[in-house]
């Protein structure tokens, strides 16, 4: 009989152990006070059994399948808690798609996980596979109707088809409207607290199979109208930028600290203000998509977690498509690998005629591990010059910085400056933040160079500049130490035509409209 007592006890353990593991999942920097939903109790054992049977179908051996199960449940628990410790949110299904980034920018991830821990987990799994193949029979060899290889192949095909059909059915059932009625919020911490970490992986993955488009992505605006000479528009997404005085003013003895580069920009007519963004510490694509599309991240449903996974492929109207229709030449420049966040595909789909990546920065100066903001400024000035020489169109140039990308470990800038002296001079007395602050000085120098200090002749088009942070830096311990709980970043607006309008506090999906209004376009909806 197939269902022997040991087999029954094994499946019972697979159904029960995940409930225990859920108690080890850390959710947020502050645990949400949410009651478990009924789907948590149903989804937890089902998800566990699906994981085990999937490994059993693929690898064909009982203990190898169990090793795979342990790798998934044990590994996800560890990695989820590591992610939560840095970013304040657990692992979700969308993160599995971005696992490809490990091969593009491994330092963004491995430095946080730890190479030793990663190698130990992978090595243990490989060891279990080898031992199992040597010492235990396969499932396929336990029957005699078919050759073992044929039985394995047939079983795998049937299982893959069954999983695909079941996933489609669950995705259709959990369509956006019903998912919200059931209680899904698509806020990661809230949903993990309600539905459990492992079941939510299954639920979110199934929802991603539902191709129903958010109504927010279908919004169309009136064509842009300008009464005079259209200015060149330069927008910069600055890695982790925010007004550091907001932190410094909370540190005893520094309530009157003045960040001189930013104050100098204000004196030069720039408008500054707080900017609400959906991301914190990472998830750049959330803020980037919100700025370019003008779509509130909260309106995207399941796509709010990673808009570049599906939403950006829907033909959504963006700042670039609107300006392009108004006669602008649209260029995006990012001194990094284009494949990251799938930008190589996404950026052209969102209306950019040119996308310039790391290939244009061969031999460019670095400041720390990444291409410096100064080198980015050199390339941006070269783009502007080339455009003026070859076209009479106005220019929309969107730049994404990378110099200040974390982590800000000791030794990062030791080839450029005295890190210890920098730390001692910084109000935070924190090495990582002192290094980060130096990068913030550099990004303001970049803005000043392209704005107030730029040589714009009377015969040139006017110029409007916008800069914003994609998210705050992942410095939770330092921020918590000083009671800095505000998750907003900041923006800067400047116009060569004179004092900039001061729009006050904004959300990132409103900043594009504010930039267009600053550029003199009429009838722009926020």
């Amino acid at each position: 009989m197939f269902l022997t007592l040991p087999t029954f006890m094994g499946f019972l353990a697979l159904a029960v152990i995940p409930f225990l593991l859920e108690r080890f999942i850390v959710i947020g920097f502050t645990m949400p006070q949410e009651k478990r939903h009924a789907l948590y109790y149903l989804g937890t054992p089902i998800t566990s059994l699906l994981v085990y049977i999937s490994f059993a179908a693929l690898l064909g051996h009982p203990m190898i399948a169990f090793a795979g199960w342990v790798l998934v449940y044990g590994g996800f628990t560890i990695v989820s808690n590591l992610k939560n410790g840095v970013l304040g949110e657990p692992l979700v299904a969308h993160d599995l798609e971005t696992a490809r980034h490990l091969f593009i920018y491994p330092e963004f991830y491995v430095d946080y996980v730890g190479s030793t821990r990663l190698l130990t987990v992978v090595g243990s799994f490989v060891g279990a596979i080898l031992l199992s193949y040597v010492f235990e029979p396969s499932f396929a060899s336990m029957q005699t109707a078919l050759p073992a290889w044929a039985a394995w192949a047939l079983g795998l095909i049937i299982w893959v088809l069954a999983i695909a059909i079941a996933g489609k059915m669950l995705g259709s059932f959990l369509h956006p409207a019903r998912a919200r009625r059931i209680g899904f919020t698509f806020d990661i911490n809230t949903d993990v607290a309600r539905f459990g970490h492992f079941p939510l992986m299954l639920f979110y993955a199934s929802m991603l199979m539902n191709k129903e488009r958010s109504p927010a992505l279908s919004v169309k605006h009136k064509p842009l109208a300008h009464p005079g000479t259209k200015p060149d528009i330069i927008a910069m997404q600055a890695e982790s930028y925010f007004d550091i005085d907001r932190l410094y003013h909370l540190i005893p003895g520094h309530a009157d600290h003045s960040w001189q580069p930013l104050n100098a920009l204000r004196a030069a007519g720039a408008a500054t203000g707080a900017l609400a963004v959906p991301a914190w510490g990472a998830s750049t694509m959330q803020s980037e998509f919100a700025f370019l599309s003008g779509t509130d991240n909260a309106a995207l449903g399941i796509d709010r977690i990673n808009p570049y996974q599906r939403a950006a492929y829907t033909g959504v109207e963006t700042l670039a498509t609107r300006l392009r229709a108004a006669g602008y030449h649209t260029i995006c420049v990012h001194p990094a690998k284009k494949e990251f966040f799938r930008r190589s595909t996404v950026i052209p789909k969102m209306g950019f005629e040119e996308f310039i990546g790391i290939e244009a920065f061969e031999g460019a100066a670095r400041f720390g591990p990444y291409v410096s903001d100064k080198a980015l400024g050199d390339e941006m000035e070269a783009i502007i010059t080339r455009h003026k020489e070859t076209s009479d169109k106005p220019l929309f140039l969107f730049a994404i910085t990378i110099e200040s990308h974390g982590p800000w470990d000791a030794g990062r800038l030791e080839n450029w400056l005295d890190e210890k002296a920098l730390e001692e001079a910084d109000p935070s007395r924190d090495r990582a933040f002192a290094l980060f602050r130096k990068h913030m000085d550099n990004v303001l120098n970049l803005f000043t160079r392209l704005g107030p200090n730029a040589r714009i002749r009377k015969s040139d088009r006017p110029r409007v500049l916008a800069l914003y942070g994609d998210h705050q830096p992942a410095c939770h311990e330092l921020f918590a130490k000083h009671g800095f709980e505000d998750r907003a970043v900041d923006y800067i607006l400047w116009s060569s035509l004179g004092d900039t309008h001061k729009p006050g506090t904004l959300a990132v999906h409103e900043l594009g409209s504010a930039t267009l209004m600053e550029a003199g376009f009429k009838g722009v909806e926020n």
Side-chain angles (χ1 to χ4, degrees):
M1 185 175 68
F2 175 73
L3 192 60
T4 61
L5 181 60
T7 302
F8 172 77
M9 294 303 294
F11 278 106
L12 182 62
L14 289 172
V16 172
I17 291 175
F19 285 104
L20 303 177
L21 288 175
E22 287 283 353
R23 300 178 65 86
F24 291 94
I25 298 293
V26 183
I27 308 172
F29 294 132
T30 302
M31 177 73 174
Q33 299 302 308
E34 296 287 338
K35 183 180 179 181
R36 292 294 196 187
H37 193 278
L39 283 178
Y40 163 72
Y41 300 101
L42 179 64
T44 296
I46 290 176
T47 303
S48 176
L49 293 172
L50 287 175
V51 170
Y52 178 80
I53 296 171
S54 295
F55 275 111
L58 177 64
L59 302 175
H61 288 244
M63 291 310 297
I64 294 180
F66 182 69
W69 184 92
V70 170
L71 177 71
V72 168
Y73 273 77
F76 279 15
T77 300
I78 293 170
V79 173
S80 180
N81 286 348
L82 286 168
K83 179 193 174 189
N84 191 88
V86 176
L87 303 178
E89 64 182 31
L91 201 70
V92 290
H94 301 69
D95 295 315
L96 304 184
E97 193 274 340
T98 56
R100 58 189 288 276
H101 295 156
L102 279 169
F103 303 99
I104 302 174
Y105 277 112
E107 64 270 29
F108 288 0
Y109 304 92
V110 175
D111 284 353
Y112 290 113
V113 175
S115 55
T116 301
R117 186 182 285 115
L118 188 64
L119 290 172
T120 299
V121 171
V122 174
S124 300
F125 180 55
V126 172
I129 288 178
L130 295 175
L131 289 173
S132 183
Y133 269 115
V134 172
F135 293 109
E136 74 167 342
S138 67
F139 287 115
S141 67
M142 298 177 188
Q143 54 80 48
T144 56
L146 293 171
W149 68 267
W152 168 80
L154 180 61
L156 180 60
I157 292 170
I158 292 172
W159 182 249
V160 169
L161 289 174
I163 286 293
I165 292 169
K168 285 279 189 181
M169 292 175 63
L170 182 58
S172 297
F173 175 76
L174 291 175
H175 62 77
R178 180 178 284 128
R180 290 193 181 277
R181 288 198 301 269
I182 288 172
F184 289 95
T185 65
F186 307 110
D187 173 77
I188 291 175
N189 290 345
T190 301
D191 283 355
V192 172
R194 288 181 182 177
F195 298 97
H197 174 248
F198 297 105
L200 192 65
M201 286 278 191
L202 175 65
F203 297 143
Y204 272 6
S206 298
M207 290 180 206
L208 288 170
M209 296 176 73
N210 187 316
K211 303 303 181 184
E212 186 174 336
R213 176 176 173 168
S214 169
L217 297 172
S218 300
V219 173
K220 299 295 181 184
H221 299 85
K222 296 176 183 178
L224 292 172
H226 198 287
T229 302
K230 296 171 185 172
D232 289 334
I233 299 174
I234 301 173
M236 289 180 277
Q237 179 174 272
E239 174 64 41
S240 301
Y241 170 77
F242 78 109
D243 180 354
I244 57 177
D245 270 344
R246 290 166 49 208
L247 169 67
Y248 288 160
H249 291 170
L250 297 175
I251 299 174
H254 298 279
D256 58 350
H257 186 275
S258 176
W259 190 18
Q260 290 304 323
L262 185 57
N263 285 335
L265 281 170
R266 291 179 179 129
T272 65
L275 187 73
V277 291
W280 189 91
S283 298
T284 294
M285 62 284 187
Q286 294 178 4
S287 300
E288 188 174 308
F289 183 77
F291 170 72
L292 290 173
S293 70
T295 305
D296 186 350
N297 177 262
L300 295 178
I302 189 68
D303 291 313
R304 67 182 291 187
I305 299 168
N306 184 357
Y308 282 1
Q309 193 166 338
R310 300 194 318 169
Y313 292 81
T314 60
V316 61
E317 189 177 74
T318 69
L319 194 57
T321 61
R322 297 178 71 192
L323 286 170
R324 189 172 173 180
Y328 277 72
H329 184 55
T330 56
I331 302 175
C332 177
V333 58
H334 180 38
K337 297 173 184 176
K338 291 180 177 180
E339 297 80 10
F340 200 64
F341 291 143
R342 299 190 184 274
R343 285 192 180 106
S344 55
T345 303
V346 167
I347 291 297
K349 283 187 175 294
M350 292 201 296
F352 289 95
E353 297 166 271
E354 295 182 50
F355 181 24
I356 300 168
I358 192 65
E359 72 283 351
F361 294 87
E362 186 175 349
R366 299 192 173 224
F367 190 69
Y370 307 112
V371 172
S372 70
D373 289 339
K374 181 181 183 302
L376 174 59
D378 293 341
E379 179 63 21
M380 292 173 72
E381 287 184 336
I383 291 169
I384 295 167
T385 299
R386 286 197 302 269
H387 175 75
K388 281 196 289 189
E389 292 172 348
T390 59
S391 175
D392 59 357
K393 289 184 175 182
L395 174 67
F396 173 48
L397 177 59
F398 179 56
I400 306 166
T401 76
I402 195 171
E403 180 195 302
S404 55
H405 201 292
W408 307 278
D409 296 329
R412 175 187 176 106
L413 299 179
E414 63 184 1
N415 293 331
W416 290 269
L417 48 76
D418 184 341
E419 291 189 354
K420 183 174 175 55
L422 198 70
E423 176 184 355
E424 291 174 351
D426 192 82
S428 71
R429 298 296 189 271
D430 181 272
R431 175 71 62 92
F433 196 80
L435 299 178
F436 168 79
R437 184 255 173 89
K438 183 61 179 175
H439 292 302
M440 292 297 96
D441 289 341
N442 289 346
V443 81
L444 291 191
N445 289 340
L446 171 62
F447 189 94
T448 302
R449 171 184 177 181
L450 294 171
N453 288 357
R455 294 178 179 176
I456 302 174
R457 298 169 301 185
K458 289 185 178 180
S459 59
D460 292 335
R461 288 183 180 275
R463 182 179 297 181
V464 170
L465 256 69
L467 179 145
Y468 68 96
D470 52 353
H471 51 70
Q472 287 185 6
C475 299
H476 170 66
E477 290 186 6
L478 175 67
F479 291 175
K481 175 182 176 182
H482 297 292
F484 182 55
E485 299 177 351
D486 188 353
R487 298 169 68 93
V489 294
D490 289 86
Y491 70 86
I492 311 172
L493 283 173
W494 177 87
S495 171
S496 64
L497 295 174
D499 280 354
T500 309
H501 298 93
K502 295 176 172 53
T505 299
L506 295 172
V508 66
H509 66 273
E510 299 169 333
L511 182 59
S513 293
T515 304
L516 291 175
M517 287 188 280
E518 189 58 44
F521 286 96
K522 302 301 181 183
V524 178
E525 310 95 333
N526 238 347

